[in-house]
Each structure stands twice: as structure tokens, then as C-alpha cells.
Amino acid sequence: MEKIPAKKTSILIIYTGGTIGMVHDSKTGSLVPVKFDRIQEVVPELKRFDFIIKTITFNPALDSSNMNPISWIKIARTIERNYNKYDGFVVLHGTDTMSYTASALSYMFENLDKPIVLTGSQLPIGQIRTDGKENLITAVEIAAAKRNGASIVPEVCICFDFKLYRGNRTLKRDAEQFSAFRSVNYPELAVAGIDIKYSPEFIYYPENKGILKVNTDFDDNVVILKMFPGINQNVLNSILNTPGLKGVILETFGSGNAPTSRWLSSCIKKAIKRGIILLNVTQCEGGKVVMGQYQTSLELLNAGVVSGKDMTTEAAITKLMFLLGQGLKPAEIKMYLNKSLRGEISE
Ligand code: ASP
């Protein structure tokens, strides 16, 4: 009998911008984004994978400091449109806000069963010592990886400097080192050495395989308010009284602590009474908020602030924007903030 040839693995690379595809502007000397459609010429190693690799370049390509919910939606819609045609997706993205985009995408995709791997680089791909080639090649291999016909990592993740992280657990921790990202509160999903070693026990595999749904509604009436010693009443008051404000990420000290000044709890209580949702996350890179552990967080708990437990600020602000955009009741939003939607928080 004639053998039917196995279907070739196909990967879509979406170049959104960022250093990986940047060149030095001849006039100013600054790094500016360029088109990225000739990727296989720049990285000929990609041809050695027996994959079909297609690219889409965003026009304009963005420095990721210019990314916002509209850009997240554009990425999500591009993947949705091509979802059935490809086995996996690699999103090339600037490192500065990659953790925010990865978190936002993780909430947007419901019933994801293919990898969406974000990567970028600290040095442009055209430079001799670039980290971009290694990051891109590993990301493509991970996006294509299957076991028994199913994707090994059906998650939104970040692949950087030989490590694969759950995207909504990461933060950019270094502006110079090749190891730009960390995921302190959740283990790596894979480590690339001689082989790529996956840790299936940490990868999320959906139990019920529903059809893919992409939710693209966000509400940007939110703010991140970082506590610091000496914060004054005027400043806090004017932030919390911003017209239209609906949600606040309160970045507190240590395990969720803030000054116990009367005026501070009173400002917070008044904001909560006005229907503003306040979510407490720590300023530390790792560890979690335990409200009530100290007197300095008990006040917040009593005022009605929600605990963000071990969520990163990046995961928390995008989750708040996402939940506020879903038209839920405040009690439902508070309930979901405290629960894992896509593995962004430990329950
Ligand atoms: N500013 C750049 C960006 O985030 C930095 C990078 O790509 O690493 O787009």
C-alpha cells in the first residue's frame, strides 16, 4: 500500500518589533525596527529544520514600549486567523514589555492547545554576538515539539537564554544580561542544553478540550501604585480620585505591607466604597502577599483590598484590565483575581 507522507510541521513567526529585528539608524545611531520578512536569510539554520516556516511582519514594527491592548489584540487575532494552519506560533517581541504581552495573551486564549512562544533578544540579530539566533531557533523547535501528536507545551510562554518560562510568571529583570527574564515563583517549563528537557509536571494540559476562544476586551482605567516610604496623602488621594479609575494594583512592601497611617487606610477605604478594585502584589521579585501576617497588611485586608498572592505585577495589571473588560460584576472580578485563570497565581 502507498504510504501517505506525514504532514510537515508548520510554524508561523510573527515579528512585532523589538531589538531582535533592529538596526542602527545611519543618521541618529539609535536602534530602530526594520522589516523582518527575510528571516531565513539572516538565520539560515532555520532551513535545516524540516518545517514549513512562514513569517508575518507587523507594520509598523514596534519597540515594545509602544505596545498596548490594541497591539495585544492584533497579535491574538493574527494567531486566531492562522490557528488551524500552523502547529505552533513564535512571536518576536521586544523584551521591555514582553512579560505584559505574554500575560495578556495567556488570558485572551481559552482552550489553547498549541504553543505560543514569545522571544526576542538583547542584541540585534544582525550583530555577531547576538543572542537572537539562539533564542529564535530554540523557540521554533519548542513551538514545533509534539509528543503522540499533541503539542508538548500548549501554553503562552517566553523562551529566552536557554530557558522556557510560563509567560504570565515572568518579569524582565535585567536590561543588559542575556538572561533577561526570571520566573521566581514558578519553575521553568523546559531547559535547553544538549537536549531540550521539558518538565511536563509544570506544563498546563487542559482536561476538557473545548474549541479555541479568543477574548479581546480590555479596560485600561487602571493604575499601578507603588508604595514607598514617605508617600503623601495628596499624591495618593489624587491618584485614587482619578476620574474613571476602576482598578488599582497596589505594589506593597514584602509580604503585602503598607504604612498604617490613618489617612492612608481612609483613602483606600473610600476608594473601595466608590467601587474601585484594589489588588495587592509585592514589590519583591519572589514570594507572595500574605495579608494579615503583619499589622501593616491587616489594615488593607480590613479595608477590602484583594490579595494578589504570588502574582507578578505584569500578570496582575493585565489580568485586572482583562477582567474589567469582560463586563463582570465587581464581586466576580474580585473572585477571579484571587483564582488562577491560566496558572498565573498559586492557589
Ligand atoms: N526597547 C526594546 C523593546 O522592548 C528592547 C528589546 O527589544 O529588548 O522593544
Side-chain angles (χ1 to χ4, degrees), residues 46-303:
L46 287 175
K47 290 190 198 139
R48 294 174 59 192
F49 285 127
D50 194 21
F51 305 152
I52 297 166
I53 298 180
K54 292 269 174 339
T55 44
I56 289 181
T57 303
F58 276 15
N59 188 10
L62 292 178
D63 184 298
S64 77
S65 303
N66 287 321
M67 289 270 174
N68 56 30
I70 295 171
S71 338
W72 304 335
I73 294 167
K74 192 171 166 190
I75 299 171
R77 289 283 182 227
T78 306
I79 295 173
E80 187 187 23
R81 268 198 312 277
N82 289 284
Y83 197 71
N84 295 327
K85 282 195 258 163
Y86 294 91
D87 297 288
F89 301 87
V90 173
V91 179
L92 300 176
H93 193 288
T95 55
D96 289 349
T97 67
M98 193 186 290
S99 295
Y100 293 88
T101 300
S103 300
L105 289 174
S106 75
Y107 306 130
M108 292 164 95
F109 282 90
E110 212 175 309
N111 299 321
L112 184 68
D113 65 357
K114 295 181 181 181
I116 300 177
V117 187
L118 282 85
T119 193
S121 65
Q122 294 282 57
L123 276 178
I125 206 147
Q127 289 195 7
I128 298 176
R129 288 182 54 251
T130 186
D131 51 331
K133 281 192 180 187
E134 168 53 45
N135 288 344
L136 173 60
I137 292 166
T138 308
V140 167
E141 187 162 346
I142 289 171
K146 291 196 177 185
R147 196 171 287 138
N148 303 326
S151 298
I152 298 185
V153 195
E155 289 207 35
V156 178
C157 33
I158 288 185
C159 175
F160 220 90
D161 194 40
F162 304 102
K163 304 252 170 71
L164 185 73
Y165 308 103
R166 173 169 294 161
N168 59 31
R169 289 292 194 151
T170 59
L171 52 92
K172 181 172 179 183
R173 46 81 76 150
D174 203 300
E176 288 177 8
Q177 301 294 318
F178 285 151
S179 56
F181 290 89
R182 282 195 77 179
S183 163
V184 185
N185 286 337
Y186 199 77
E188 287 105 22
L189 305 182
V191 177
I194 291 176
D195 298 311
I196 298 181
K197 287 219 165 81
Y198 294 93
S199 298
E201 67 277 32
F202 300 125
I203 299 171
Y204 177 72
Y205 294 104
E207 279 162 28
N208 308 313
K209 285 196 178 154
I211 56 159
L212 183 81
K213 241 179 102 187
V214 185
N215 303 310
T216 54
D217 295 311
F218 289 91
D219 190 326
D220 59 6
N221 286 296
V222 292
V223 72
I224 298 172
L225 176 53
K226 183 168 182 160
M227 284 289 131
F228 59 93
I231 187 165
N232 80 31
Q233 190 167 357
N234 251 346
V235 170
L236 189 80
N237 239 330
S238 60
I239 294 175
L240 293 181
N241 281 296
T242 305
L245 184 69
K246 293 186 188 154
V248 180
I249 300 299
L250 206 58
E251 252 202 15
T252 54
F253 310 125
S255 56
N257 309 313
T260 46
S261 343
R262 269 249 183 100
W263 62 262
L264 193 137
S265 359
S266 144
C267 278
I268 287 179
K269 273 187 195 149
K270 281 188 198 148
I272 292 174
K273 261 211 176 127
R274 291 197 301 277
I276 296 175
I277 292 170
L278 277 94
L279 181 69
N280 187 359
V281 298
T282 176
Q283 296 178 8
C284 300
E285 270 194 13
K288 60 177 187 289
V289 162
V290 185
M291 286 173 69
Q293 186 177 10
Y294 292 89
Q295 170 75 31
T296 41
S297 64
L298 189 60
E299 303 264 335
L300 299 177
L301 181 67
N302 291 339

